[in-house]
Amino acid sequence: MSLDMSAAKTPASPEKASLKDARAEHARLGAEIAKHDIAYHQNDAPTVSDADYDALRRRFDALEKEFPALADLPSPARGVGSAPAQKFAKIRHVVPMLSLGNVFDADEVQEFVERVRRFLGLGAEASVDITAEPKIDGLSCSIRYEKGELVHAVTRGDGFEGEDVTANVKTISEIPRKLHGDAPAVLEVRGEVYMTHADFTALNKRQEAEGGKVFANPRNAAAGSLRQLDSSITAKRPLHFFAYAWGEITGGMPASTQRGMVEAFAKFGLPTNPRMTLCRGAGDMIAFFDKLGEDRARLGYDIDGVVYKVNDLAYQDRLGFVSRAPRWAVAHKFPAEQATTLLLGIEIQVGRTGALTPVAKLEPVTVGGVVVSNATLHNEDEIARKDIRVGDAVVVQRAGDVIPQIVRVIVEKREGDPPKYAFPDVCPKCGSAAIREIDEKTGEADVVRRCTGGLICPAQAVERLRHFCSRNALDIEGLGDKQIEFFHEKGLIKTPADIFTLEARDKERVAKIENFEGFGKVSTRNLFAAIEARREVELNRFIFALGIRRIGETNARRLARHFGEFAALRACARAAGDPASEARAEINNISGVGDVVAEAVADFFVEDHNERELDRLLEQVTPTPMESVATDSPVAGKTVVFTGALERMTREEAKAQAERLGAKVAGSVSKKTDILVAGPGAGSKLTKAQDAGVRVMSEDEWLAMIAGT
Ligand code: IVH
């Protein structure tokens, strides 16, 4: 909000500062107060006495009282919040915040007007004035003023109880802390908090650069920003507000019409929407709706329709509410905007987790005033279902979200029989195989195709590096998310092996890490030491760190236990590329591992890119035997199969015990089986073992053998 500088020209009384001076003092005091606020609230280390702080605050408040325009200026004294609360307090709405019914076309608008007339018993000749205004696509908020002072602000919540977002709303500069003029004793102003398109784009850019959350649309961004527990974050997010309704009011209504009320809000210093118009009937209302639809793209903020309200407040009172919506108001939503254009191509994007997402490249077309040249295609099944082919004429639609969709193909316009779209089965970023996993439960292929080049795919690099360094993986202290992103961006760490060559390369470089901002000699030395300390790492951690699909900590431990050393796993997994191979069966047979996991392991090792990266990595890192596995027990390294009933312990317990002693527990008998523990009722496994000359023992014999270990 700009300041009215003409006021500065009015001569000030001698004891009063001029507005210009006041503004300078206000700014200086604001900065000082903010500094003390941070010291007190966030650092728990006050920098002034309470009395001095109070004096600063009093002077600051006095200036705002004397020059109300100052109260509307953004000031850091308002922006800095206290330390984040655990969660928002709940506040009940004295007057519930209700929702609106909808109409979708001109006939329904006409019906709304007729209904109002009928209810009020108005003759055909009597006119009913109705206001029309944009329906803002943000989130509604109720702000309570007592004696003109903002006391609290609450989200809509369930309409009856919302969240106390007072501290956050106070950071929105265009919402006055103090109302101007002669405001009612209690005034609850209701309206919409929203974010402009420009601010939304800038915020997302910033978020992306900082690795923060990227928002789908301005509404989500506004909601995410208002519902921050830490109001200093909200303070950095540019939010706006339009006042359009009210809750409790005591001490006299400022007006007797809807329009008069909103005009009064504006006089009190609240932002109101400039497009609000008084309509004399359905014709005017439709004209307003059509014009707003035309102007929609140029407004600079998202709207999703028009809200019509009966202007006369006495009528509003008589009309009242039906269920949870007023009879005196209705929302007229814009239809989803559509246009026809050509599909020029399909681009495959690779996400951070390796998911391949198809994006339609369109001949640019204006949809509801916005030029669209990309649309989401969701996944390959969707492309097949809609039979979308490159070169097709397609209908595009913009719904609530910013990303447009392809509704359908106009088949009549297709020339000849262009080839059906073939979704790639290799990753466009790194050339690795891209596969659709089979869902264990349904047995159906996952809708998402994923790149298997986890270690080398640039699209997945940062995510993979993070996983590699994480606590249960390599656990490299000093290489947190921020540092990884930083080194990756600088091109210093692209793959896991690069971590271990970082120090050597740094020695060769002119621009040393210790000179980068935020590093310095000590932390760089510590970082290198932490990396050195992890050149030897337990096998299970190493396997887990590779980020193989479906290999979490438990499966990594199973593989480590079974194979004992990395080379054995690697050789077997490489040979397991063929689903019919013995190698695949071996992995499959490891207790707790099944088809799906075995396939994921094979897919990873079959990939030459991953193999090369593994070679590089193994030059730097040595996997060591899993700590908890005994190597000196009589069953260490032996493959054991349990069959039949066990009488002294459960099957699960027996397995766990055997594994602790370094044995591998398999589910079926093969050439590699060393021992078959057979209880009563043993069937085919026993016969097979006997035929193969495998050592067979009873549960008691087994227990005797491992006793004392
Ligand atoms: S009036 C009792 N006016 O739309 C009626 N609502 O679908 C109070 N909205 O929850 C609502 N712009 O969040 C009204 N100009 C406007 C609006 C508006 C957006 C939202 C509001 C409400 C929802 C109902």
Side-chain angles (χ1 to χ4, degrees), residues 98-100 133-136 140 156 192 244 307 309 326 328:
L98 302 173
S99 58
L100 293 171
E133 63 198 275
K135 184 169 189 307
I136 317 296
S140 49
R156 179 174 184 274
E192 206 84 351
Y244 54 63
V307 181
K309 299 171 186 168
W328 46 264

Side-chain angles (χ1 to χ4, degrees), residues 616-653:
R616 290 185 63 222
L617 187 58
L618 288 165
E619 276 173 28
Q620 308 294 333
V621 179
T622 312
T624 58
M626 221 169 94
E627 228 174 39
S628 55
V629 175
T631 47
D632 53 356
S633 88
V635 296
K638 299 261 193 294
T639 300
V640 182
V641 175
F642 291 94
T643 189
L646 294 177
E647 292 167 320
R648 311 264 294 264
M649 55 186 154
T650 64
R651 180 70 65 92
E652 210 162 321
E653 197 181 344

Side-chain angles (χ1 to χ4, degrees), residues 221-351:
S225 303
L226 188 68
R227 298 194 61 257
Q228 279 290 336
L229 287 170
D230 179 354
S231 62
S232 68
I233 296 178
T234 314
K236 290 187 204 129
R237 306 271 178 88
L239 293 175
H240 296 269
F241 183 75
F242 281 129
Y244 54 63
W246 56 94
E248 189 182 16
I249 295 183
T250 64
M253 293 290 281
S256 60
T257 60
Q258 179 72 33
R259 183 165 73 167
M261 287 297 287
V262 174
E263 281 167 357
F265 291 164
K267 283 208 195 92
F268 298 150
L270 290 157
T272 55
N273 193 289
R275 302 286 299 234
M276 191 177 73
T277 302
L278 198 60
C279 300
R280 290 264 134 88
D284 285 358
M285 291 155 75
I286 304 293
F288 179 90
F289 179 84
D290 290 344
K291 178 76 173 75
L292 192 65
E294 278 170 31
D295 296 349
R296 183 176 179 189
R298 287 189 294 276
L299 291 178
Y301 50 86
D302 273 355
I303 60 172
D304 54 357
V306 170
V307 181
Y308 306 119
K309 299 171 186 168
V310 171
N311 192 39
D312 188 323
L313 298 190
Y315 282 170
Q316 285 193 7
D317 267 353
R318 283 172 57 193
L319 284 156
F321 295 83
V322 56
S323 67
R324 292 182 62 183
R327 243 188 231 105
W328 46 264
V330 79
H332 187 177
K333 292 271 193 79
F334 290 130
E337 296 150 303
Q338 296 191 335
T340 303
T341 188
L342 283 183
L343 176 66
L344 302 178
I346 294 178
E347 188 184 283
I348 304 292
Q349 295 182 346
V350 187

